[in-house]
Amino acid sequence: MTKMHSKIDPEFVGAHFPALNKDWVFCDNAGGSQIVKGAVDKISEFLLEKNVQIGGSYAVSQAAAAALMEGRKAAQTLVNAARPEEIVFGPSTTALMQTLAGAMRSQLSPGDEIIVTLADHESNIGPWDRLREFGIVIKFWPFDHETYDLRLEDLEPLMTDRTRLVCVTHVSNILGHINPIAEFARFIHEKGARICVDAVAYAPHRAIDVQAWDVDYYVFSLYKCYGPHTAIMYGKYDLLGELDGMYHYFYGKDKVPGKLEPGNPNYELAYSTVGVVDYLVALGESVGGGGSRRDRICAAYDAITVQEDALTGRLLDWLNARNDCRVIGKTTNDGSARVPTIAFKFDGQNSGEVARKMDDYGIAIRFGDFHARRLVENLDEAGDDGVIRVSMVHYNTLEQVDRLCGALGEIVGSNAAA
Ligand SMILES: Cc1ncc(COP(=O)(O)O)c(C=O)c1O
């Protein structure tokens, strides 16, 4: 067996991300990551060689259909789904959540309950909240304000025999720690409900295993996971079969996943998933991973975790050493439970002004509520232009974190704790 060395080679990574050779330091990756070259190549290949409608008898149309299926199979491997039909492509996570909520209509009756969290991005709240219109009861699962955890003891009293679905984030795009999704799924299933997970802020950072976790619906955006602007929803095959069709009436219930992809998915972007997955496989090999493609993907994510832990540690150390700064989320990374998506606020400083000044240093960060408005308002952090967020991925370097901290220090002053 090959020995894993688990350390990412920055040159290997750099060769796959041509956009990183520019002057900017990208620390706004939870807003959108850079795209891997292999994904761009797949898009061009599709557009230049296969750009016709699928479903025709002629060879090019067959090739287009095969490319779409390759994209589905790549996504299947990425999330470890049981079959490619469990993959639904859509324009964005927001749109997929809206599709899912709409497609659940006929299985919900007035008085049925859906639980959403206060820690989620609005994409996994709003589409469910709109079902109030049809008599569905929406309840909010609060998080602990000290630990920022979503606790099962707070979920339990909300659940009744009318609870049909619990919608929860795998990682909040502000708080940045990983929720124990398998544990949540087990608890929710025991109570007879289903789970819908927003994995947008998780997917770039750790391996996904929908079967091991036994989640029912699992949704994330490829443009934050080294691909282009498209998104992926996994759903258990039988559950997708139960959903209403969102396409034409003659797309029957059994047309999975086509009935959930009205107007068809964007073929070239779906096909680009192959490029993203090929990259992760190659990254896994580059750190000594062997075995199946899936094994190599897991090796890649192990190495990504090592790199990200270093980045997280370096930034948290700097932030924690100050006495004028509040991290909005856990201040430590015990057991690699955090991804390098770190939000914070400086006393007496406007977050927007700080973030805008960083532009002059060529360092891209972001401020605001990041569409997790209910979370930021619940924490009473919406004032002064919300929070500052630094969000890194494995292609960021320690040298970049030092540059970022140096720039922040110049902007807000060198106020380190004694
Ligand atoms: C955690 C989280 N969920 C959902 C979304 C929405 O994704 P999309 O832009 O694909 O609709 C985002 C986007 O920032 C996000 O960070």
Side-chain angles (χ1 to χ4, degrees):
M1 198 180 131
T2 347
K3 191 166 173 347
M4 291 273 296
H5 41 89
S6 249
K7 202 147 171 45
I8 287 182
D9 173 5
E11 268 183 42
F12 175 89
V13 172
H16 285 82
F17 287 93
L20 296 179
N21 300 326
K22 309 276 167 12
D23 294 336
W24 281 89
V25 172
F26 293 111
C27 288
D28 183 28
N29 296 285
S33 73
Q34 294 307 305
I35 188 167
V36 73
K37 183 170 180 305
V40 180
D41 292 343
K42 292 294 177 198
I43 295 170
S44 330
E45 181 200 316
F46 189 94
L47 291 175
L48 298 174
E49 295 171 22
K50 307 180 169 91
N51 194 29
V52 296
Q53 180 59 298
I54 62 169
S57 56
Y58 55 99
V60 188
S61 178
Q62 304 268 321
L68 175 59
M69 183 47 100
E70 260 193 76
R72 263 192 232 290
K73 287 187 171 159
Q76 176 195 0
T77 309
L78 182 59
V79 304
N80 199 29
R83 47 195 291 183
E85 294 81 7
E86 293 182 320
I87 300 298
V88 182
F89 284 110
S92 64
T93 291
T94 306
L96 282 169
M97 290 295 191
Q98 285 171 356
T99 298
L100 182 61
M104 252 183 217
R105 280 277 312 286
S106 72
Q107 50 181 278
L108 297 171
S109 315
D112 279 348
E113 298 163 1
I114 293 180
I115 298 175
V116 294
T117 85
L118 273 173
D120 267 77
H121 184 283
E122 192 60 19
S123 282
N124 200 20
I125 303 176
W128 307 112
D129 196 50
R130 265 173 240 143
L131 294 176
R132 280 180 203 273
E133 192 184 328
F134 306 102
I136 308 306
V137 176
I138 305 298
K139 295 179 175 175
F140 281 87
W141 178 6
F143 58 90
D144 182 291
H145 276 220
E146 257 173 43
T147 62
Y148 299 94
D149 286 325
L150 285 162
R151 300 179 310 180
L152 291 178
E153 66 211 71
D154 295 322
L155 175 62
E156 181 153 33
L158 300 177
M159 295 195 76
T160 72
D161 57 2
R162 296 299 300 268
T163 307
R164 307 295 306 277
L165 185 71
V166 178
C167 304
V168 61
T169 187
H170 203 162
V171 170
S172 145
N173 62 335
I174 290 184
L175 303 176
H177 66 267
I178 300 171
N179 286 316
I181 224 64
E183 198 186 319
F184 288 0
R186 209 175 315 119
F187 182 85
I188 291 162
H189 288 151
E190 271 166 22
K191 305 265 175 211
R194 289 174 183 156
I195 180 168
C196 170
V197 183
D198 173 344
V200 174
Y202 174 92
H205 307 290
R206 300 286 195 278
I208 298 168
D209 193 338
V210 292
Q211 292 189 78
W213 303 330
D214 194 24
V215 286
D216 299 309
Y217 306 102
Y218 195 84
V219 191
F220 62 99
S221 312
L222 209 58
Y223 75 95
K224 312 209 196 223
C225 191
Y226 322 122
H229 277 258
T230 191
I232 292 170
M233 174 168 78
Y234 158 83
K236 283 182 183 159
Y237 187 76
D238 291 348
L239 299 188
L240 294 184
E242 285 171 13
L243 293 173
D244 303 337
M246 301 303 280
Y247 208 165
H248 304 309
Y249 74 90
F250 41 82
Y251 274 68
K253 281 224 168 206
D254 58 331
K255 282 248 186 228
V256 171
K259 71 172 183 186
L260 300 164
E261 295 176 329
N264 293 327
N266 178 308
Y267 301 145
E268 63 272 22
L269 301 188
Y271 186 43
S272 78
T273 313
V274 177
V276 172
V277 171
D278 283 350
Y279 165 68
L280 290 168
V281 169
L283 179 62
E285 280 163 15
S286 79
V287 294
S292 68
R293 278 171 69 76
R294 176 77 201 157
D295 290 342
R296 287 163 215 230
I297 290 171
C298 292
Y301 276 108
D302 285 347
I304 284 173
T305 304
V306 171
Q307 172 67 5
E308 291 189 349
D309 278 352
L311 302 172
T312 302
R314 190 78 137 234
L315 181 55
L316 283 179
D317 283 351
W318 188 83
L319 295 169
N320 290 335
R322 299 187 64 95
N323 58 16
D324 63 345
C325 178
R326 257 183 3 269
V327 173
I328 315 296
K330 293 180 189 290
T331 54
T332 57
N333 182 28
D334 300 335
S336 302
R338 237 189 176 291
V339 303
T341 298
I342 301 174
F344 50 93
K345 210 157 173 161
F346 291 105
D347 298 341
Q349 300 272 352
N350 180 288
S351 296
E353 274 171 30
V354 175
R356 273 190 286 268
K357 283 184 187 155
M358 291 292 279
D359 297 348
D360 297 336
Y361 291 83
I363 301 173
I365 62 170
R366 192 176 285 264
F367 66 95
D369 65 27
F370 306 92
H371 290 186
R373 181 159 301 178
R374 298 176 203 250
L375 166 72
V376 173
E377 285 179 351
N378 192 255
L379 287 169
D380 205 14
E381 297 289 2
D384 288 330
D385 272 350
V387 303
I388 300 171
R389 185 182 72 185
V390 171
S391 56
M392 298 177 281
V393 292
H394 66 285
Y395 53 60
N396 289 113
T397 63
L398 285 173
E399 183 270 331
Q400 289 180 340
V401 183
D402 292 343
R403 225 174 111 186
L404 177 132
C405 296
L408 281 174
E410 282 184 26
I411 292 166
V412 299
S414 55
N415 176 9

